[in-house]
């Protein structure tokens, strides 16, 4: 005579159900919609597209949470260009080892944002045509997942001597230096790249 062990032991049935739910739960947790994530948009600008040795460059980094969920564990890493010296930053740094600056930022609620200003001096040893590229990477989490989205932005300037700037024939000032307006350069705004 066969005895059905499942029929007589409800604890085994309960254990099998709980184990099955344990295996299936990660699939349901990944099913959260995009509306449940923080979405950070970031821009980085520099006030001069063309600069001379000895001048100052002012970077503006602005980011905002356009999603419907708070961004947690917000970290910003800024790589300064080579051959510049840091003068000031408008927000306290958690780590400074030039050329990399690191900022630990407060949580960003939906609709909130932050602007950070960084001032650098262009070193004298820069040559004509040197490209000064500064990159920023912002990482954040939603408090539930193990991987953090990354958002990138960059801004660039070109070093040019007064002689080279005076050779331009349009937009010249009375001193002969070419007037150049600031240019914003964005990269992968609102990116959802993962570590």
């Amino acid at each position: 005579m066969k005895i059905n062990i499942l029929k007589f032991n409800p604890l085994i049935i309960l254990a099998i159900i709980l184990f099955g739910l344990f295996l299936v739960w990660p699939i349901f947790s990944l099913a959260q919609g995009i509306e449940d994530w923080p979405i950070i948009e970031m821009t980085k600008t520099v006030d001069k597209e063309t600069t001379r040795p000895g001048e100052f460059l002012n970077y503006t980094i602005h980011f905002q949470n356009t999603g419907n969920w708070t961004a947690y564990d917000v970290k910003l890493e800024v790589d300064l260009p080579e051959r510049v010296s840091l003068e000031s930053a408008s927000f306290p740094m958690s780590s400074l080892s030039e050329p990399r600056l690191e900022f630990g930022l407060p949580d960003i609620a939906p609709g909130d944002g932050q602007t950070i200003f960084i001032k650098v001096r262009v070193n004298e040893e820069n040559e004509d045509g040197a490209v000064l590229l500064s990159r920023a990477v912002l990482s954040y989490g939603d408090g539930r997942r193990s991987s953090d989205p990354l958002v990138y932005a960059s801004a660039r300037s070109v070093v040019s001597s007064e002689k080279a700037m005076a050779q331009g024939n349009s937009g010249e000032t009375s001193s002969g230096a070419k007037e150049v307006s600031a240019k914003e350069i964005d990269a992968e705004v609102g990116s959802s790249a993962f570590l």
Side-chain angles (χ1 to χ4, degrees):
M1 176 174 177
K2 280 186 159 182
I3 298 176
N4 190 344
I5 197 164
L6 296 178
K7 183 177 178 183
F8 294 107
N9 197 340
L11 289 176
I12 292 177
I13 295 172
L14 181 63
I16 291 172
I17 292 171
L18 290 176
F19 183 72
L21 287 175
F22 177 76
L23 292 176
V24 174
W25 178 250
I27 296 170
F28 290 116
S29 67
L30 291 174
Q32 67 183 27
I34 191 72
E35 67 276 357
D36 295 334
W37 291 0
I39 300 171
I40 302 292
E41 293 183 359
M42 179 170 65
T43 59
K44 182 171 186 177
T45 60
V46 63
D47 64 339
K48 295 176 187 169
E49 186 179 67
T50 305
T51 187
R52 296 189 217 37
E55 287 188 332
F56 294 101
L57 293 175
N58 296 291
Y59 295 103
T60 302
I61 303 168
H62 177 75
F63 43 91
Q64 186 163 2
N65 186 352
T66 61
N68 297 318
W69 194 272
T70 299
Y72 298 97
D73 303 320
V74 184
K75 295 178 184 67
L76 177 67
E77 292 182 355
V78 178
D79 288 327
L80 297 177
E82 294 180 11
R83 298 177 299 278
V84 300
S85 303
L86 176 66
E87 292 290 318
S88 64
S90 66
F91 197 88
M93 290 169 269
S94 58
S95 174
L96 167 63
S97 57
E98 285 192 60
R100 175 164 286 179
L101 314 176
E102 295 179 12
F103 300 88
L105 303 168
D107 299 339
I108 306 172
D112 287 349
Q114 179 82 38
T115 302
I116 296 177
F117 303 98
I118 299 172
K119 182 179 182 179
V120 299
R121 183 178 183 278
V122 180
N123 295 347
E124 297 290 342
E125 65 267 13
N126 279 290
E127 299 175 357
D128 276 354
V131 176
L132 304 177
L133 179 65
S134 178
R135 295 182 182 96
V137 178
L138 185 129
S139 64
Y140 60 95
D142 66 1
R144 299 176 290 186
R145 295 179 304 180
S146 58
S147 60
D148 295 337
L150 302 177
V151 182
Y152 304 91
S154 62
R156 68 186 284 278
S157 298
V158 177
V159 176
S160 183
S161 67
E162 283 190 49
K163 179 180 176 184
M165 290 177 78
Q167 290 176 353
N169 57 8
S170 62
E172 291 188 358
T173 63
S174 58
S175 65
K178 188 174 180 183
E179 188 73 29
V180 179
S181 60
K183 181 177 180 184
E184 182 175 310
I185 300 172
D186 303 333
E188 300 181 44
V189 175
S191 166
S192 58
F194 294 93
L195 288 173

